[in-house]
Amino acid sequence: MDSALKVKFDIEKSELDEIENWLKKELLTSKNGFYHNWTLIIKSYSEKRMAILKKEKNVIGYLIWSIGDIYVEIDIFEIKPVFRKKGIGKYFINEISRYFKKNNFLVLKLFCEPKESEAFWKKTGFIKFPERGYSESELTFFKPLIIVNKSQTNVDENNKLELWNLEPYKVKDSKPKWVWNIDQSNFIPILHPCNSNWNIRWTKNGKIVKEDKVKYFTNKDNQIEFSQFIYIEKLIE
């Protein structure tokens, strides 16, 4: 990637003004862009929740975000139109991912707008949120910032964690939506979007150790529910 590219988090007022001029021009020429979100951008700038991408002396990209417990939500991400489809957006989001991982966040989340950007987000490693039963856009995506255990189809029936997209009383004989093989000697974290009322079951050595709603499966010694996600570093009987 071009060595002239630089990500900045300490943004000067003149750089913010440059973005405003770019967005105004974009709105006038194409009727697109995020100038209608300028109040939100200003707020993020003032609260230091903004990053920019520069090529030499010019701002060619910017991003603003909000903070959750274990996640960062990308509110707006944009690359200047003339610099799109050149790998620059991917470079920018990869640098941002490294920054937030270094600051101990576990996952990125975003709402894909416009819809045409969906292909870009998938190429940069984002995964579509499952339907969680909330008023949530089908274009919501997430990207783990750490190595995570992936749901399997080749399941160890004796040692596994199962998650249904159903409440316990609806489970009956239905199969789980996601299953993770569990190796307690080499535990790989599990990170996944969830509904706190979904049914979760842990099987160890062929025996069901615990089964309950996600929100009751967690406890003060082993919290697994973090707002929109389950995050499991260990399983304690």
Side-chain angles (χ1 to χ4, degrees):
M1 187 51 65
D2 191 335
S3 60
L5 294 175
K6 180 182 179 182
V7 176
K8 283 189 65 180
F9 295 90
D10 185 16
I11 302 163
E12 299 173 19
K13 181 61 167 59
S14 60
E15 293 166 329
L16 184 69
D17 292 340
E18 187 178 344
I19 294 171
E20 183 179 20
N21 291 334
W22 147 22
L23 295 183
K24 282 181 176 178
K25 183 177 179 181
E26 186 177 22
L27 180 63
L28 287 172
T29 57
S30 68
K31 307 300 182 184
N32 293 320
F34 292 97
Y35 186 67
H36 59 285
N37 295 111
W38 188 246
T39 299
L40 178 61
I41 294 170
I42 286 286
K43 186 173 188 294
S44 298
Y45 164 77
S46 65
E47 295 175 356
K48 297 190 180 300
R49 294 184 289 104
M50 185 176 190
I52 60 172
L53 180 66
K54 298 194 73 172
K55 181 177 173 63
E56 297 175 344
K57 294 183 178 181
N58 300 314
V59 179
I60 64 169
Y62 69 95
L63 175 148
I64 64 174
W65 67 82
S66 304
I67 298 295
D69 41 16
I70 64 170
Y71 70 93
V72 173
E73 181 154 4
I74 297 173
D75 296 317
I76 298 177
F77 173 90
E78 188 176 14
I79 298 294
K80 209 167 187 177
V82 70
F83 292 100
R84 293 174 189 170
K85 298 184 178 180
K86 297 181 179 180
I88 291 174
K90 184 176 181 180
Y91 167 82
F92 191 16
I93 204 67
N94 285 343
E95 290 298 302
I96 291 296
S97 297
R98 277 190 278 271
Y99 172 80
F100 285 120
K101 181 179 179 180
K102 185 178 179 181
N103 283 275
N104 299 315
F105 289 98
L106 304 177
V107 58
L108 298 180
K109 176 179 177 283
L110 59 84
F111 165 62
C112 173
E113 175 66 32
K115 188 179 187 305
E116 291 72 28
S117 65
E118 182 176 357
F120 166 78
W121 293 114
K122 287 180 176 178
K123 286 179 182 178
T124 54
F126 281 78
I127 305 162
K128 185 173 284 191
F129 251 56
E131 170 56 51
R132 299 191 306 133
Y134 301 116
S135 55
E136 192 168 64
S137 169
E138 65 177 14
L139 294 175
T140 303
F141 285 77
F142 73 104
K143 177 185 178 181
L145 298 177
I146 59 171
I147 295 173
V148 296
N149 193 343
K150 295 183 179 179
S151 178
Q152 302 289 328
T153 54
N154 185 18
V155 178
D156 177 354
E157 295 295 339
N158 291 315
N159 296 281
K160 60 185 178 179
L161 187 76
E162 300 165 284
L163 180 65
W164 283 257
N165 57 345
L166 299 168
E167 293 190 40
Y169 77 92
K170 293 182 178 179
V171 168
K172 297 180 180 178
D173 297 323
S174 64
K175 293 183 179 180
K177 185 72 172 178
W178 303 276
V179 184
W180 295 271
N181 290 332
I182 301 298
D183 180 355
Q184 291 283 49
S185 64
N186 183 30
F187 196 92
I188 301 172
I190 295 169
L191 176 64
H192 198 271
C194 78
N195 180 315
S196 63
N197 290 310
W198 283 351
N199 190 71
I200 188 169
R201 178 193 293 163
W202 174 25
T203 300
K204 179 181 178 182
N205 298 327
K207 178 183 176 182
I208 297 175
V209 175
K210 189 172 184 178
E211 181 171 9
D212 214 327
K213 291 184 177 182
V214 169
K215 64 184 177 183
Y216 298 135
F217 198 92
T218 192
N219 59 60
K220 64 178 181 178
D221 297 319
N222 187 29
Q223 182 180 355
I224 71 164
E225 183 193 359
F226 296 86
S227 57
Q228 304 169 35
F229 297 90
I230 56 169
Y231 173 60
I232 305 174
E233 288 184 297
K234 59 184 177 181
L235 287 166
I236 301 173
E237 293 186 54

